[in-house]
Amino acid sequence: MEFLIIATAHFLALLSPGPDFFLVMQVSIRMPIRYGFALSFGIGAANGVYLIVAILGLQIIRDFSWLMTVLQYLGAAYLIFIGVMLLKSPGTDLDTSEKNNSFLLEQHLGRQFLVGFMSGILNPKNCIFYLSLFTVMVSESTGFSTRLLYGLWMTTVVTIWDCALVSVLGKNSTKERLGRGIFYLEKVSGIMLLFFGLLLPLT
């Protein structure tokens, strides 16, 4: 029962669009699918780091207010940076988009993994969410190995969910349906990332 409650709470949180969703969407519509998968694995790895922190019971991190503040401002700066780059990027055909906005659209698996990892690790809300989840919903009597399985499950679900989004958004048929709307989707993604970045230090 405990696992079902945790898994449900985690999946419902996953359904809420956040910075990761808009990054996944932007990479999926502009780059080959494999780069979207690399981004997704980066996001999953960052979630895994925070899950390890939660599993080890390091709730003490909450007491380091300066660390959370640093994470908030670094995360805000990162999201604002990406948002501005998306807003400044010109409208281009899909097959030539890699020539523009090189930081976000560089066709390098390691770079896309890093972009995803930085997005996840610089979002202090991930840390707070997982610490709260394990503090409130996981019983003290739950064994360490069981907690590890919970963490492995949630990391896997995050990665699979993002990869599924990539698979859908990255299809040629999907891109064809979007057509010129891709340009506006990029701008919407830029605005949302900028919004998340400006809002992050205030929350």
Side-chain angles (χ1 to χ4, degrees):
M1 180 61 71
E2 182 180 76
F3 171 75
L4 289 177
I5 294 174
I6 292 171
T8 301
H10 177 248
F11 187 69
L12 290 175
L14 195 60
L15 291 177
S16 177
D20 294 343
F21 170 80
F22 292 99
L23 272 178
V24 168
M25 181 174 68
Q26 191 269 336
V27 169
S28 298
I29 62 180
R30 282 291 183 184
M31 301 181 71
I33 285 180
R34 62 183 178 277
Y35 299 106
F37 288 159
L39 181 86
S40 300
F41 276 94
I43 293 171
N47 278 260
V49 169
Y50 281 132
L51 278 162
I52 290 173
V53 171
I55 290 168
L56 292 176
L58 300 181
Q59 289 92 344
I60 193 171
I61 195 173
R62 286 176 166 177
D63 298 328
F64 290 98
S65 58
W66 63 269
L67 179 58
M68 298 306 295
T69 300
V70 169
L71 276 176
Q72 280 185 316
Y73 282 101
L74 285 177
Y78 183 70
L79 293 177
I80 290 171
F81 171 67
I82 295 177
V84 169
M85 291 193 74
L86 286 175
L87 290 174
K88 289 174 63 179
S89 64
T92 57
D93 295 332
L94 291 179
D95 58 353
T96 60
S97 60
E98 69 272 8
K99 297 177 183 178
N100 299 290
N101 204 357
S102 59
F103 174 79
L104 294 179
L105 298 177
E106 181 179 344
Q107 295 199 4
H108 187 282
L109 294 176
R111 170 60 62 86
Q112 293 308 318
F113 178 90
L114 182 61
V115 169
F117 183 82
M118 293 301 291
S119 173
I121 209 70
L122 289 177
N123 187 351
K125 288 188 176 181
N126 286 336
C127 178
I128 294 170
F129 172 73
Y130 287 124
L131 285 173
S132 299
L133 195 66
F134 274 82
T135 300
V136 176
M137 295 188 176
V138 178
S139 170
E140 292 183 3
S141 61
T142 301
F144 182 72
S145 59
T146 303
R147 290 172 181 246
L148 282 178
L149 288 176
Y150 290 171
L152 180 61
W153 168 265
M154 286 186 275
T155 302
T156 302
V157 168
V158 168
T159 305
I160 291 176
W161 174 257
D162 287 336
C163 285
L165 289 175
V166 171
S167 297
V168 173
L169 295 172
K171 286 183 177 179
N172 289 331
S173 58
T174 302
K175 295 177 182 179
E176 289 172 2
R177 289 193 186 96
L178 292 174
R180 291 185 176 274
I182 287 176
F183 170 78
Y184 299 103
L185 281 176
E186 280 190 330
K187 302 311 170 188
V188 169
S189 296
I191 291 171
M192 292 306 300
L193 289 171
L194 192 61
F195 171 75
F196 284 127
L198 293 173
L199 185 65
L200 192 55
L202 304 177
T203 57

